[in-house]
Amino acid sequence: QFLLESHHFTYLSCGRDLLFPKTPSKPEALPRIFAGPDYAMANPAGFEFAPLPGTLAEAESLKQMMPRAQVFTGPQATEGQLKAATNPSLLHVATHGFYLSKTPDFQGGRGLKRKKTAPPTSQTLDRSPPGFFVLQSPLLRCGLAMAGANELSGGGDEDGILTALELTGMDLRGTKLLVLSACETGVGEIVSGEGVFGLRRGLQLAGARTQVLSLWKVHDEA
């Protein structure tokens, strides 16, 4: 008999997770589904994300299972709409996910090439070769691509790239299940004494206690 058959397991990133408030700030909202964002035209100076038609079929299947769910696709699947999701009972995001290492190799998830536009000096390491940059915080080196990501224009003040650091500002304390149906959403940087810093850490701080993530690159149709 396996321990999993007789015990309930909870994985903790660090001791602080035990102190996180368990009561949602608001009653549960309807399930929200984000899929097939319109990444816009590829920009040589930015990321290049390829369309994911399989995610639209994914959203359609989920809508049949949860008729009351709110579905955001194409140009409506924006970073702003995702950030505005407060305590949905279920949150499902089907898009490109990526994790960038500290090396100049920026080959991330499907369709992700590289970004040459340099961010503020305070966020970078000085050892970056010409044409590349390396972000210091691992929470800034992983994220999800939303509408307008290829042009770094997601509407309003958003750039279409939702980083793990931005996820920490969301309120997901009433969310029973969060699914990131994307590449490498469970990958991150191991920090001694703190655990893995990545999308999971951002979601944990936002209050999403149950998460379904991926450690590998995932085929769109699959």
Side-chain angles (χ1 to χ4, degrees):
Q1 185 179 18
F2 294 100
L3 283 175
L4 189 62
E5 298 178 51
S6 56
H7 292 74
H8 177 76
F9 288 88
T10 300
Y11 290 90
L12 302 177
S13 301
C14 61
R16 286 195 304 272
D17 291 348
L18 294 171
L19 304 177
F20 200 88
K22 298 180 180 180
T23 306
S25 59
K26 296 180 181 178
E28 295 173 5
L30 295 175
R32 288 199 175 195
I33 301 168
F34 292 81
D38 180 4
Y39 304 116
M41 298 295 292
N43 186 340
F47 290 126
E48 183 177 344
F49 294 99
L52 298 175
T55 61
L56 296 175
E58 184 175 339
E60 205 172 299
S61 297
L62 289 169
K63 179 66 174 177
Q64 294 177 2
M65 297 169 60
M66 299 175 290
R68 298 180 65 217
Q70 296 175 305
V71 181
F72 301 86
T73 60
Q76 281 74 46
T78 64
E79 180 183 357
Q81 286 282 14
L82 182 52
K83 285 181 176 179
T86 303
N87 294 315
S89 56
L90 178 141
L91 181 58
H92 186 102
V93 185
T95 182
H96 283 291
F98 64 89
Y99 170 74
L100 306 178
S101 66
K102 284 187 175 181
T103 69
D105 181 12
F106 283 175
Q107 299 298 324
R110 298 164 295 178
L112 176 61
K113 289 190 175 180
R114 69 184 184 184
K115 179 181 178 184
K116 292 183 179 179
T117 307
T121 307
S122 60
Q123 298 179 6
T124 63
L125 298 177
D126 296 331
R127 296 186 300 276
S128 304
F132 292 94
F133 65 86
V134 182
L135 293 170
Q136 287 180 336
S137 171
L139 296 183
L140 288 171
R141 286 189 271 110
C142 56
L144 302 169
M146 305 305 294
N150 282 341
E151 297 178 351
L152 297 178
S153 177
D157 296 328
E158 308 293 356
D159 59 6
I161 304 290
L162 182 62
T163 66
L165 186 63
E166 291 175 301
L167 281 173
T168 64
M170 295 181 63
D171 187 358
L172 302 175
R173 285 176 287 176
T175 301
K176 296 179 179 178
L177 177 64
L178 190 145
V179 180
L180 295 186
S181 179
C183 293
E184 302 176 320
T185 52
V187 178
E189 181 177 321
I190 299 177
V191 179
S192 179
E194 289 288 345
V196 179
F197 274 75
L199 288 170
R200 180 186 178 276
R201 174 58 60 90
L203 295 171
Q204 189 85 0
L205 292 175
R209 312 304 279 177
T210 304
Q211 308 165 14
V212 178
L213 310 175
S214 168
L215 292 174
W216 305 278
K217 294 182 180 181
V218 185
H219 188 274
D220 180 30
E221 187 177 348

